[in-house]
Amino acid sequence: DNPPAQASITRGEAAHAEVQGILASLRALVSSRWPQATVELYGSRATGLSLASSDVDVTLLGVPCGAGREAVGGALKELHALMEGQPWVASQKLVLSARIPVLKVATPSSIPIDITISDSAQHTGLLARDLVLGYLSEAPQLTPLVLVLKSFLRELGLNDPYTGGMSSYSLVVLLWLFVCESAHRGYNTTDLGYQLLGFFSMFLYRFDSQVTHVDDPLSPMITAPGEPRENIMHSCYQIGRVCRTFHRALQLLSPETPEWDDPATPLLPRLFSEASSANRATQTEATATTPPPAAARTPPSSGGSSAAASAPP
């Protein structure tokens, strides 16, 4: 028995049930105002890669508001008014200045919900959802790997791209590239421990030099030929901390570690315990870390250095 793991599973199941109820209420509200509109879930809640604390990402299709920021903003304001007084809405905030305008909602149990309207090719949420679901269908072993690494990065405060961490999408794409390259080279792709260690090694091989450009697999669908491809790692300015964390993880999980085969000290709980200790020790560093100038985070052109996941496991 593992009480912390069981508690996490219980929290996840409760959050899932709450999210399903919220989606049903939101669909009823949207239909009452725009009968032809639909409510689509995307992100980790739609792919089965969510943690109990994950955001709920929702987009509306078929809202007859026309294209453009002003039209979308007007529709979101209407939705904001419709949701006033709903029992599952604790707070609302319109962010109309974002690249994609969003209505940010928090529930009484603190589940964050981001609601957008799909009105242009800039909104790639549904494309990303379908891409990830395709990855998971072809390589089901990605699911436990993603969930372990997402939880690990969250323990260290390195899972939020808005504070320089790695986005879930980046993590999934990198793991997919790694699994594909492993299969191409004839390596074992079903042993999850082997894959986890191999991924840590690949990541350090590619990113320890601070190279942080990885082409977005969706770029061919959303950019014109010859245009620079979107860089899914452009906001990860804490790449140095991520690399140091993965290096320490490799040390802890190495067979040379004295406690490696001791059943009294399971590896993953020890890894997360170390992560929590490291997080407390580096909170000052994380607070002091500031993003580099915008120019330093601008994705290089497609002809520049691109980090493909092709290192030996």
Side-chain angles (χ1 to χ4, degrees), residues 26-305:
L26 180 59
R27 288 187 173 110
L29 269 180
V30 170
S31 294
S32 71
R33 176 63 186 87
W34 303 292
Q36 69 275 47
T38 59
V39 175
E40 290 282 342
L41 184 67
Y42 66 99
S44 62
R45 294 279 183 185
T47 59
L49 298 176
S50 62
L51 305 178
S53 59
S54 293
D55 293 358
V56 178
D57 296 306
V58 173
T59 192
L60 309 187
L61 300 175
V63 176
C65 62
R69 182 181 300 276
E70 187 174 338
V72 169
L76 286 175
K77 288 177 182 177
E78 285 191 60
L79 183 60
H80 181 283
L82 280 173
M83 290 169 57
E84 287 288 350
Q86 290 294 313
W88 51 272
V89 176
S91 66
Q92 298 188 78
K93 181 181 179 182
L94 279 165
V95 184
L96 302 182
S97 59
R99 184 172 69 97
I100 296 175
V102 58
L103 173 57
K104 302 183 81 68
V105 179
T107 70
S109 59
S110 301
I111 293 179
I113 306 170
D114 287 352
I115 304 174
T116 55
I117 293 176
S118 290
D119 73 316
S120 71
Q122 278 190 307
H123 197 303
T124 59
L126 297 179
L127 288 174
R129 177 197 66 186
D130 294 343
L131 180 75
V132 170
L133 287 173
Y135 290 167
L136 297 178
S137 175
E138 292 191 44
Q141 68 269 35
L142 285 176
T143 296
L145 289 170
V146 171
L147 291 175
V148 165
L149 286 169
K150 278 183 69 170
S151 300
F152 185 50
L153 290 170
R154 183 189 61 178
E155 287 290 322
L156 289 152
L158 290 171
N159 65 323
D160 188 349
Y162 292 101
T163 56
M166 281 187 66
S167 70
S168 296
Y169 180 63
S170 297
L171 184 61
V172 172
V173 170
L174 286 170
L175 278 164
W176 164 255
L177 292 173
F178 173 69
V179 168
C180 288
E181 186 65 21
S182 296
H184 177 71
R185 293 178 176 227
Y187 295 122
N188 187 325
T189 61
T190 57
D191 185 321
L192 296 182
Y194 184 82
Q195 286 287 290
L196 182 63
L197 292 177
F199 179 76
F200 284 146
S201 298
M202 177 280 294
F203 194 94
L204 292 170
Y205 177 80
R206 287 295 172 184
F207 297 116
D208 218 9
S209 62
Q210 303 291 305
V211 175
T212 53
H213 186 89
V214 180
D215 286 341
D216 187 343
L218 293 175
S219 286
M221 305 179 200
I222 59 176
T223 58
E227 286 186 7
R229 290 195 171 191
E230 186 75 19
N231 176 15
I232 61 174
M233 296 284 283
H234 74 278
S235 62
C236 190
Y237 58 83
Q238 292 208 64
I239 188 68
R241 278 191 67 208
V242 176
C243 286
R244 288 194 295 277
T245 297
F246 284 1
H247 186 268
R248 178 58 179 155
L250 266 179
Q251 291 177 324
L252 286 169
L253 298 177
S254 169
E256 285 74 36
T257 304
E259 301 90 352
W260 188 77
D261 60 352
D262 181 357
T265 56
L267 292 177
L268 281 180
R270 184 153 51 88
L271 182 65
F272 277 78
S273 176
E274 287 275 340
S276 297
S277 300
N279 190 31
R280 287 192 294 270
T282 56
Q283 278 179 345
T284 303
E285 174 192 350
T287 302
T289 302
T290 55
R297 290 183 282 130
T298 301
S301 68
S302 56
S305 177

